[in-house]
């Protein structure tokens, strides 16, 4: 989050004459933030739009709640890039130099915080959904469906919008020379709890349970397995292994998203707390520099998810190729193969499937023996 002043006064626009203005810290990065945010916007917005198109196709085709939650994360990242980077930094600061009405600055500040909270808290339902899918699969089949996912996403976005309203009174850490007041401390702590400590605690607990469940399942698979009696089905473990592999990939995607957020947002959280209790951004150029760099690092989180999805998910990569009309995609052969593979009925058990295969094999073998016997008679 880039924190900009909520008020514009004549004293801020006048030449520095007072002792506080003479001691004000300078931005040592110069035009580097302008170039960085412009490049991030030019790359991040098209990439996130492509991600939204791909996830929309996957969600419509598979009806999986995973893609609906990922689509909500992508949409929130686009809003964050538009409000914080484009409106907050490039337009208000780099173009208009903060010479806009104070009410507009305050409204944009509240919208920035709301978009930021939506971008972060959209990942929480995704984490909960993956936890239920891995640790309680039967419950997940009952409660996880697209309509419920859409309602949960709408509730998260509404709460994020409401949580941005108090930050209408967020103070200017760049130009305010006074010590932080009680209101400033309350807003800063509310901000760091909402955007970092609380979601990271949820990610840590649920991801730990997910990893523990996967390890226990892997140990059970590595253990000795008895041979099936009576010529049973030997292919039982195949679908189970494929399911575990698929769940492992979705878990890797979830861990990549949450780990990237935790790493990229940690410096900014530490700098904001240090500004509250240590040196001020307004007076110390080193804190000013750390705040600039931490903001740049935090905004990088809005543009990395596409590359994480491509690295982890093969369906995502194939859909990207289809959207971009690349000739080196899987082609129609993959689709024909998918059509040939008919899924088993949902109510059929593994034992019934195996017994059916065994009976068919016996019937085919008996038919061949009868033909051979008939040839001998002839």
């Amino acid at each position: 989050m880039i924190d900009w002043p909520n008020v514009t006064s004549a004293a801020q626009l006048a030449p520095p004459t007072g002792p506080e203005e003479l001691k004000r810290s300078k931005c040592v990065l110069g035009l580097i933030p302008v170039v960085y945010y412009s490049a991030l916007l030019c790359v991040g917005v098209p990439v996130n739009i492509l991600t939204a198109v791909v996830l929309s196709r996957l969600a419509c085709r598979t009806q999986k709640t995973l893609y609906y939650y990922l689509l909500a994360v992508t949409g929130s990242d686009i809003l964050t890039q538009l409000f914080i980077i484009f409106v907050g930094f490039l337009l208000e600061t780099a173009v208009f130099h903060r010479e806009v009405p104070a009410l507009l600055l305050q409204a944009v500040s509240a919208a920035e915080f709301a978009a930021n909270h939506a971008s972060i808290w959209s990942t929480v339902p995704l984490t909960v959904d993956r936890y239920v899918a891995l640790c309680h699969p039967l419950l997940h089949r009952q409660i996880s469906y697209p309509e419920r996912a859409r309602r949960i996403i709408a509730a998260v976005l509404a709460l994020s919008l409401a949580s941005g309203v108090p930050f209408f009174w967020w103070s200017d850490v760049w130009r305010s020379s006074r010590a932080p007041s009680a209101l400033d401390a309350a807003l800063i702590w509310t901000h760091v709890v909402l955007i970092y400590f609380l979601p990271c605690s949820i990610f840590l607990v649920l991801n730990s349970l997910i990893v523990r469940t996967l390890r226990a399942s892997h140990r059970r698979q590595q253990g000795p397995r008895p041979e099936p009696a009576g010529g049973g089905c030997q292919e039982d473990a195949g679908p189970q292994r494929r399911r575990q592999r698929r769940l492992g990939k979705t878990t890797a995607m979830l861990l990549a998203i949450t780990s990237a957020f935790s790493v990229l947002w940690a410096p900014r959280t530490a700098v904001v707390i240090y500004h509250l209790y240590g040196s001020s951004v307004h007076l110390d150029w080193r804190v000013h520099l750390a705040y600039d760099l931490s903001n740049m690092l935090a905004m990088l989180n809005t543009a990395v998810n596409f590359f994480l999805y491509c690295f982890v998910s093969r369906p995502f990569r194939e859909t990207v190729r289809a959207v971009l009309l690349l000739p080196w995609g899987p082609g129609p052969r993959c689709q024909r193969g998918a059509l040939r593979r008919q899924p088993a009925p949902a109510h059929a058990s593994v034992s019934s499937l195996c017994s059916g295969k065994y009976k068919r094999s016996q019937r085919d073998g008996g038919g061949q023996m009868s033909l051979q016997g008939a040839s001998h008679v002839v």
Side-chain angles (χ1 to χ4, degrees):
M1 177 69 66
I2 305 168
D3 302 319
W4 302 114
N6 293 328
V7 293
T8 302
S9 61
Q12 292 175 349
L13 302 177
T17 56
E20 293 294 336
E21 292 293 335
L22 294 176
K23 291 191 299 182
R24 177 180 171 181
S25 62
K26 302 298 181 181
C27 180
V28 299
L29 293 179
L31 293 177
I32 293 178
V34 178
V35 176
Y36 172 81
Y37 287 122
S38 300
L40 186 62
L41 193 68
C42 293
V43 174
V45 172
V47 161
N48 281 330
I49 292 176
L50 175 61
T51 305
V53 173
V54 172
L55 291 175
S56 298
R57 289 194 178 188
L58 289 173
C60 294
R61 188 171 64 197
T62 64
Q63 293 297 309
K64 290 184 178 180
T65 56
L66 169 67
Y67 296 119
Y68 286 95
Y69 290 126
L70 292 177
L71 187 59
V73 173
T74 304
S76 302
D77 286 340
I78 295 175
L79 292 178
T80 302
Q81 290 174 336
L82 293 180
F83 279 108
I84 297 178
I85 300 177
F86 180 67
V87 177
F89 185 84
L90 295 179
L91 283 184
E92 287 186 352
T93 302
V95 176
F96 296 109
H97 303 286
R98 316 296 295 175
E99 297 181 6
V100 293
L103 185 61
L104 178 60
L105 291 176
Q106 293 174 309
V108 170
S109 177
E112 288 174 356
F113 279 95
N116 190 14
H117 296 169
S119 177
I120 294 170
W121 279 92
S122 296
T123 314
V124 174
L126 170 65
T127 309
V128 175
D129 180 79
R130 290 299 87 196
Y131 164 74
V132 177
L134 286 166
C135 300
H136 306 282
L138 296 180
L139 178 63
H140 183 264
R141 293 172 187 172
Q142 297 175 1
I143 67 174
S144 180
Y145 47 89
E147 291 79 9
R148 173 168 289 183
R150 285 192 287 265
R151 289 198 295 267
I152 292 175
I153 292 169
V156 169
L157 294 179
L159 291 175
S160 300
L161 179 62
S163 68
V165 174
F167 296 93
F168 184 86
W169 295 274
W170 181 266
S171 64
D172 179 17
V173 299
W174 305 95
R175 295 172 180 167
S176 178
S177 58
R178 61 176 176 81
S181 62
L183 177 61
D184 296 333
L187 289 177
I188 287 176
W189 274 110
T190 303
H191 176 58
V192 297
V193 167
L194 286 178
I195 62 101
Y196 194 77
F197 290 121
L198 187 56
C200 280
S201 300
I202 297 174
F203 298 154
L204 179 62
V205 172
L206 295 183
N207 288 340
S208 300
L209 294 175
I210 289 172
V211 171
R212 189 181 68 175
T213 302
L214 287 178
R215 286 181 176 177
S217 176
H218 182 70
R219 284 195 297 268
R220 287 195 299 268
Q221 289 183 356
Q222 294 298 324
R225 291 189 296 269
E227 292 293 333
C233 181
Q234 297 288 340
E235 293 88 359
D236 293 349
Q240 183 68 18
R241 282 196 297 267
R242 286 195 296 270
R243 180 178 179 273
Q244 291 294 332
R245 196 159 49 241
R246 183 174 65 252
L247 292 177
K249 289 182 178 180
T250 58
T251 305
M253 181 186 300
L254 173 64
L255 294 177
I257 295 172
T258 55
S259 300
F261 162 75
S262 302
V263 171
L264 294 176
W265 276 89
R268 186 190 178 279
T269 304
V271 173
V272 169
I273 296 176
Y274 184 77
H275 161 77
L276 181 61
Y277 295 105
S279 182
S280 173
V281 174
H282 177 79
L283 301 177
D284 194 340
W285 68 270
R286 291 166 296 187
V287 182
H288 194 153
L289 175 62
Y291 203 52
D292 286 336
L293 294 176
S294 63
N295 281 330
M296 294 165 64
L297 195 63
M299 288 298 100
L300 183 62
N301 186 59
T302 61
V304 299
N305 287 341
F306 171 81
F307 306 100
L308 296 177
Y309 301 159
C310 287
F311 181 75
V312 174
S313 174
R314 186 176 65 180
F316 186 86
R317 292 193 300 269
E318 293 175 352
T319 310
V320 169
R321 294 168 190 159
V323 170
L324 297 179
L325 301 178
L326 296 178
W328 42 279
R333 184 177 62 182
C334 180
Q335 298 177 0
R336 290 197 299 268
L339 291 175
R340 284 197 301 267
R341 291 191 294 269
Q342 296 293 334
H347 59 273
S349 62
V350 175
S351 60
S352 63
L353 294 176
C354 294
S355 62
K357 291 181 181 178
Y358 181 62
K359 291 178 181 178
R360 282 196 301 270
S361 63
Q362 283 186 331
R363 187 167 58 249
D364 296 339
Q368 291 178 359
M369 292 178 62
S370 64
L371 289 176
Q372 290 177 0
S375 63
H376 277 294
V377 172
V378 173

